[in-house]
Amino acid sequence: MANGVLSFPLTSFHDDGSLDEKGFRAYLADQIATAPGAVFPACGTGEFFSLDEDEYRRVVTAAVEESAGRVPVVAGVGYGWAQAARFARIAEDAGADALLVLPHYLVTAPQDGLVAQLEHIAARTRLPLITYQRGQVAYTAGTLARVAALPNVIGLKDGHSDLDRLQRLTLAAPDGFLFFNGAATAEIQARAYATVGVPAYSSAVHAFAPEIANAFFAALRADDRDTLDALLRGFYVPLVELRDRVPGYAVSLVKAAARLRGRPVGPVRAPLTDPSDQDLTALKDLLTTGLDLVGAAS
């Protein structure tokens, strides 16, 4: 997964809110053609929270079929262990390669409970699990050691960006345990994460501008600081500032940017809302700037 940007594809909907499987397949084919390190359908960016079980099955099946073994497919599951186990069975039947365990719903839990949650899910699927610490899920080093000892837990996605804690986790994990940066706009902190041994990251930008995301990734690997700084100043930092204007823009702004580029992704589902006209204009200008910075056509 460290060999390419991790793709978290958007889920396509028609204007009436129904699943647009044909549009999703066309969009996903474009994503896979850019050679991501892996594809993560039906996760946060893919609006997992809004999918029923039949829609989830169709989304994961489409991802497996469109990837055709070229890249790993890691499907999202959550939020309580019973619900996660149901979705895990669907993903397993659809041919997914692994699962990303999204944070459990609502309640804060002790460390023993976080371990038990993964034990229940792991006991009900043959697929490898990557756990996602974000929000109310935050592991101590001792807990991560227990989690990593479970037979099919293979990695952790971090959304807290607490580098002190993350360094302790990487030191507590066994050799070969996967870590990746799951910050909301991961490129902002990619260099910092790499310093604690976490070079892999997911990219929301890849969902609408893989040219920009891949250029940043290549510059990061080459330690091309001039290119990194130019992209951060000219594109990524302004994007974060725009994203932070309205709750939910971490998904709806990404989807709007994909639509601006002619991708058949449709609107977001409630409770998310599509961006205002003013913010769409700002997004369009920013997208043009980002593509110009990497020499890509808008």
Side-chain angles (χ1 to χ4, degrees), residues 253-276:
L253 204 69
V254 171
K255 215 165 197 184
R259 290 196 302 273
L260 286 173
R261 304 204 68 202
R263 303 299 186 262
V265 296
V268 292
R269 278 181 170 174
L272 301 178
T273 58
D274 289 313
S276 67

Side-chain angles (χ1 to χ4, degrees), residues 134-155:
R134 183 172 181 164
Q136 65 268 38
V137 177
Y139 297 109
T140 65
T143 299
L144 185 73
R146 294 168 61 192
V147 164
L150 297 174
N152 50 344
V153 177
I154 64 168

Side-chain angles (χ1 to χ4, degrees), residues 23-230:
F24 177 67
R25 285 178 178 271
Y27 163 73
L28 191 59
D30 287 341
Q31 286 278 295
I32 293 170
T34 66
V39 171
F40 289 69
C43 293
T45 309
E47 298 178 75
F48 169 81
F49 66 88
S50 76
L51 300 176
D52 66 28
E53 293 184 18
D54 179 64
E55 291 169 331
Y56 177 83
R57 178 181 292 104
R58 292 165 63 190
V59 165
V60 177
T61 298
V64 170
E65 291 177 355
E66 293 299 326
S67 67
R70 289 174 289 171
V71 296
V73 174
V74 185
V77 297
Y79 292 117
W81 66 259
Q83 179 182 351
R86 290 200 308 273
F87 280 86
R89 285 192 292 272
I90 295 170
E92 192 170 325
D93 291 343
D97 297 296
L99 302 170
L100 178 67
V101 182
L102 302 170
H104 64 268
Y105 174 68
L106 191 61
V107 296
T108 301
Q111 295 292 302
D112 285 347
L114 299 181
V115 175
Q117 166 90 337
L118 285 175
E119 286 176 337
H120 279 296
I121 299 170
R124 289 163 174 80
T125 181
R126 296 187 298 255
L127 292 179
L129 305 177
I130 298 169
T131 185
Y132 188 4
Q133 67 164 13
R134 183 172 181 164
Q136 65 268 38
V137 177
Y139 297 109
T140 65
T143 299
L144 185 73
R146 294 168 61 192
V147 164
L150 297 174
N152 50 344
V153 177
I154 64 168
L156 176 140
K157 177 182 179 182
D158 174 68
H160 285 295
S161 303
D162 180 341
L163 297 184
D164 179 284
R165 176 187 289 266
L166 185 59
Q167 183 70 90
R168 296 168 190 268
L169 297 183
T170 62
L171 294 172
D175 290 343
F177 194 78
L178 302 175
F179 286 91
F180 65 94
N181 166 5
T185 301
E187 287 90 345
I188 293 287
Q189 301 183 66
R191 284 188 286 194
Y193 269 82
T195 64
V196 295
V198 183
Y201 62 88
S202 59
S203 173
V205 171
H206 191 278
F208 64 87
E211 306 96 323
I212 300 173
N214 287 337
F216 186 94
F217 182 82
L220 184 66
R221 296 197 76 174
D223 196 25
D224 179 353
R225 300 193 177 195
D226 290 342
T227 297
L228 291 173
D229 288 346

